[in-house]
Short mmCIF file of all heavy atoms in Angstrom, two decimals:
data_model
loop_
_atom_site.label_atom_id
_atom_site.label_comp_id
_atom_site.label_asym_id
_atom_site.label_seq_id
_atom_site.Cartn_x
_atom_site.Cartn_y
_atom_site.Cartn_z
N LYS A 419 0.93 -1.22 -0.02
CA LYS A 419 -0.02 0.01 0.05
C LYS A 419 0.79 1.20 0.01
O LYS A 419 1.74 1.36 0.87
CB LYS A 419 -0.98 0.01 1.22
CG LYS A 419 -1.99 -1.13 1.29
CD LYS A 419 -2.83 -1.04 2.52
CE LYS A 419 -3.90 -2.24 2.45
NZ LYS A 419 -4.68 -2.20 3.79
N ASN A 420 0.64 2.13 -0.92
CA ASN A 420 1.34 3.42 -1.12
C ASN A 420 2.83 3.19 -1.23
O ASN A 420 3.63 4.12 -0.90
CB ASN A 420 1.04 4.28 0.15
CG ASN A 420 -0.46 4.64 0.22
OD1 ASN A 420 -1.06 5.18 -0.58
ND2 ASN A 420 -1.08 4.26 1.40
N ALA A 421 3.29 2.05 -1.83
CA ALA A 421 4.66 1.75 -1.84
C ALA A 421 5.11 2.51 -3.23
O ALA A 421 4.36 2.78 -4.25
CB ALA A 421 4.96 0.27 -2.07
N ASN A 422 6.43 2.97 -3.20
CA ASN A 422 7.11 3.56 -4.44
C ASN A 422 7.66 2.39 -5.27
O ASN A 422 8.76 1.84 -4.84
CB ASN A 422 8.10 4.52 -3.90
CG ASN A 422 8.76 5.29 -5.11
OD1 ASN A 422 8.60 5.01 -6.23
ND2 ASN A 422 9.46 6.38 -4.72
N LEU A 423 6.97 2.11 -6.26
CA LEU A 423 7.47 1.09 -7.22
C LEU A 423 7.89 1.53 -8.56
O LEU A 423 7.79 0.82 -9.52
CB LEU A 423 6.37 -0.05 -7.43
CG LEU A 423 5.72 -0.52 -6.17
CD1 LEU A 423 4.71 -1.56 -6.45
CD2 LEU A 423 6.77 -1.16 -5.21
N VAL A 424 8.27 2.84 -8.61
CA VAL A 424 8.81 3.54 -9.82
C VAL A 424 9.86 2.75 -10.34
O VAL A 424 10.86 2.45 -9.71
CB VAL A 424 9.18 4.89 -9.53
CG1 VAL A 424 9.69 5.63 -10.78
CG2 VAL A 424 7.89 5.73 -9.18
N ARG A 425 9.81 2.46 -11.71
CA ARG A 425 10.93 1.76 -12.43
C ARG A 425 11.20 0.38 -11.91
O ARG A 425 12.34 -0.18 -12.01
CB ARG A 425 12.21 2.51 -12.50
CG ARG A 425 12.13 3.81 -13.28
CD ARG A 425 13.41 4.61 -13.26
NE ARG A 425 13.32 5.83 -14.00
CZ ARG A 425 13.39 5.97 -15.38
NH1 ARG A 425 13.60 4.94 -16.12
NH2 ARG A 425 13.31 7.22 -15.89
N LEU A 426 10.30 -0.23 -11.14
CA LEU A 426 10.42 -1.55 -10.68
C LEU A 426 10.55 -2.53 -11.88
O LEU A 426 9.98 -2.37 -12.86
CB LEU A 426 9.17 -2.02 -9.80
CG LEU A 426 9.18 -3.29 -9.20
CD1 LEU A 426 10.05 -3.52 -8.08
CD2 LEU A 426 7.78 -3.73 -8.77
N TYR A 427 11.40 -3.54 -11.64
CA TYR A 427 11.69 -4.61 -12.66
C TYR A 427 11.22 -6.01 -12.11
O TYR A 427 11.76 -6.28 -11.16
CB TYR A 427 13.11 -4.62 -13.04
CG TYR A 427 13.55 -5.62 -14.01
CD1 TYR A 427 13.43 -5.47 -15.39
CD2 TYR A 427 13.88 -6.90 -13.65
CE1 TYR A 427 13.69 -6.37 -16.37
CE2 TYR A 427 14.36 -7.89 -14.51
CZ TYR A 427 14.25 -7.62 -15.90
OH TYR A 427 14.58 -8.52 -16.78
N VAL A 428 10.34 -6.68 -12.70
CA VAL A 428 9.83 -7.91 -12.18
C VAL A 428 9.89 -8.86 -13.27
O VAL A 428 9.36 -8.75 -14.43
CB VAL A 428 8.34 -7.75 -11.73
CG1 VAL A 428 7.75 -9.10 -11.42
CG2 VAL A 428 8.26 -6.86 -10.56
N LYS A 429 10.55 -10.06 -12.99
CA LYS A 429 10.74 -11.11 -13.96
C LYS A 429 10.49 -12.39 -13.32
O LYS A 429 10.96 -12.77 -12.36
CB LYS A 429 12.20 -11.01 -14.45
CG LYS A 429 12.52 -12.12 -15.47
CD LYS A 429 13.93 -12.10 -15.82
CE LYS A 429 14.37 -13.16 -16.87
NZ LYS A 429 15.87 -13.08 -17.14
N LYS A 430 9.59 -13.21 -13.94
CA LYS A 430 9.23 -14.57 -13.50
C LYS A 430 8.87 -14.67 -12.09
O LYS A 430 9.30 -15.52 -11.36
CB LYS A 430 10.49 -15.49 -13.69
CG LYS A 430 10.87 -15.81 -15.23
CD LYS A 430 12.08 -16.74 -15.30
CE LYS A 430 12.34 -17.17 -16.68
NZ LYS A 430 13.51 -18.05 -16.74
N CYS A 431 8.05 -13.79 -11.62
CA CYS A 431 7.57 -13.77 -10.29
C CYS A 431 6.16 -14.19 -10.10
O CYS A 431 5.33 -14.23 -11.10
CB CYS A 431 7.86 -12.38 -9.61
SG CYS A 431 9.49 -11.91 -9.41
N GLU A 432 5.73 -14.36 -8.94
CA GLU A 432 4.37 -14.85 -8.56
C GLU A 432 3.92 -14.00 -7.44
O GLU A 432 4.52 -13.96 -6.32
CB GLU A 432 4.23 -16.20 -8.23
CG GLU A 432 4.50 -17.32 -9.34
CD GLU A 432 4.10 -18.67 -9.01
OE1 GLU A 432 3.38 -18.96 -7.93
OE2 GLU A 432 4.45 -19.64 -9.87
N TYR A 433 2.70 -13.40 -7.58
CA TYR A 433 2.13 -12.55 -6.52
C TYR A 433 0.72 -13.12 -6.37
O TYR A 433 -0.06 -13.30 -7.18
CB TYR A 433 1.89 -11.21 -6.89
CG TYR A 433 3.29 -10.29 -7.09
CD1 TYR A 433 3.89 -10.46 -8.23
CD2 TYR A 433 3.68 -9.54 -6.07
CE1 TYR A 433 5.17 -9.74 -8.48
CE2 TYR A 433 5.04 -8.76 -6.23
CZ TYR A 433 5.62 -8.92 -7.38
OH TYR A 433 6.75 -8.23 -7.49
N THR A 434 0.39 -13.59 -5.10
CA THR A 434 -0.86 -14.10 -4.63
C THR A 434 -1.38 -13.26 -3.52
O THR A 434 -0.72 -13.14 -2.42
CB THR A 434 -0.73 -15.65 -4.40
OG1 THR A 434 -0.19 -16.19 -5.45
CG2 THR A 434 -2.07 -16.26 -4.04
N ASP A 435 -2.68 -12.88 -3.63
CA ASP A 435 -3.37 -12.19 -2.59
C ASP A 435 -2.60 -10.97 -2.02
O ASP A 435 -2.32 -10.79 -0.71
CB ASP A 435 -3.68 -13.23 -1.30
CG ASP A 435 -4.70 -14.32 -1.72
OD1 ASP A 435 -5.67 -13.99 -2.43
OD2 ASP A 435 -4.36 -15.35 -1.49
N CYS A 436 -2.12 -10.22 -2.91
CA CYS A 436 -1.29 -9.04 -2.53
C CYS A 436 -2.15 -7.74 -2.70
O CYS A 436 -2.85 -7.64 -3.72
CB CYS A 436 0.05 -8.96 -3.38
SG CYS A 436 1.20 -10.27 -2.92
N ASP A 437 -1.86 -6.75 -1.90
CA ASP A 437 -2.66 -5.49 -2.02
C ASP A 437 -1.69 -4.36 -2.39
O ASP A 437 -0.79 -4.09 -1.67
CB ASP A 437 -3.19 -5.28 -0.65
CG ASP A 437 -4.18 -3.91 -0.67
OD1 ASP A 437 -4.24 -3.30 -1.66
OD2 ASP A 437 -4.90 -3.83 0.28
N PHE A 438 -1.98 -3.79 -3.58
CA PHE A 438 -1.06 -2.75 -4.20
C PHE A 438 -1.82 -1.39 -4.11
O PHE A 438 -1.55 -0.55 -4.80
CB PHE A 438 -0.69 -3.01 -5.67
CG PHE A 438 0.15 -4.21 -5.83
CD1 PHE A 438 -0.40 -5.48 -6.05
CD2 PHE A 438 1.54 -4.14 -5.68
CE1 PHE A 438 0.48 -6.57 -6.25
CE2 PHE A 438 2.41 -5.10 -5.79
CZ PHE A 438 1.94 -6.31 -6.13
N SER A 439 -2.78 -1.16 -3.25
CA SER A 439 -3.62 0.02 -3.24
C SER A 439 -2.69 1.21 -3.12
O SER A 439 -1.83 1.22 -2.20
CB SER A 439 -4.64 -0.07 -2.07
OG SER A 439 -5.47 -1.07 -2.21
N GLY A 440 -2.93 2.17 -3.96
CA GLY A 440 -2.17 3.47 -3.83
C GLY A 440 -0.66 3.35 -4.27
O GLY A 440 0.09 4.34 -4.11
N ALA A 441 -0.24 2.20 -4.84
CA ALA A 441 1.15 1.99 -5.15
C ALA A 441 1.47 2.78 -6.40
O ALA A 441 0.60 2.96 -7.31
CB ALA A 441 1.50 0.51 -5.40
N ASP A 442 2.74 3.19 -6.54
CA ASP A 442 3.19 3.98 -7.72
C ASP A 442 4.00 3.02 -8.70
O ASP A 442 5.19 2.68 -8.41
CB ASP A 442 4.04 5.14 -7.21
CG ASP A 442 4.24 6.11 -8.32
OD1 ASP A 442 4.26 5.76 -9.51
OD2 ASP A 442 4.74 7.27 -8.00
N PHE A 443 3.43 2.69 -9.77
CA PHE A 443 3.97 1.78 -10.87
C PHE A 443 4.59 2.53 -11.95
O PHE A 443 4.87 1.92 -12.95
CB PHE A 443 2.97 0.70 -11.32
CG PHE A 443 2.60 -0.43 -10.38
CD1 PHE A 443 1.35 -0.40 -9.64
CD2 PHE A 443 3.44 -1.44 -10.25
CE1 PHE A 443 1.05 -1.51 -8.94
CE2 PHE A 443 3.12 -2.49 -9.43
CZ PHE A 443 1.96 -2.60 -8.75
N ARG A 444 4.70 3.86 -11.89
CA ARG A 444 5.15 4.55 -12.99
C ARG A 444 6.45 4.11 -13.57
O ARG A 444 7.41 3.85 -12.84
CB ARG A 444 5.27 6.10 -12.67
CG ARG A 444 3.82 6.75 -12.54
CD ARG A 444 3.93 8.09 -12.21
NE ARG A 444 4.56 8.33 -10.83
CZ ARG A 444 4.85 9.60 -10.32
NH1 ARG A 444 4.57 10.63 -11.02
NH2 ARG A 444 5.29 9.61 -9.06
#
């Protein structure tokens, strides 16, 4: 929640039941 994920790089990952409310994916 409200995490700064700007320029995040994700490869071959798995996300289950995760909450990204308000996150910054720019």
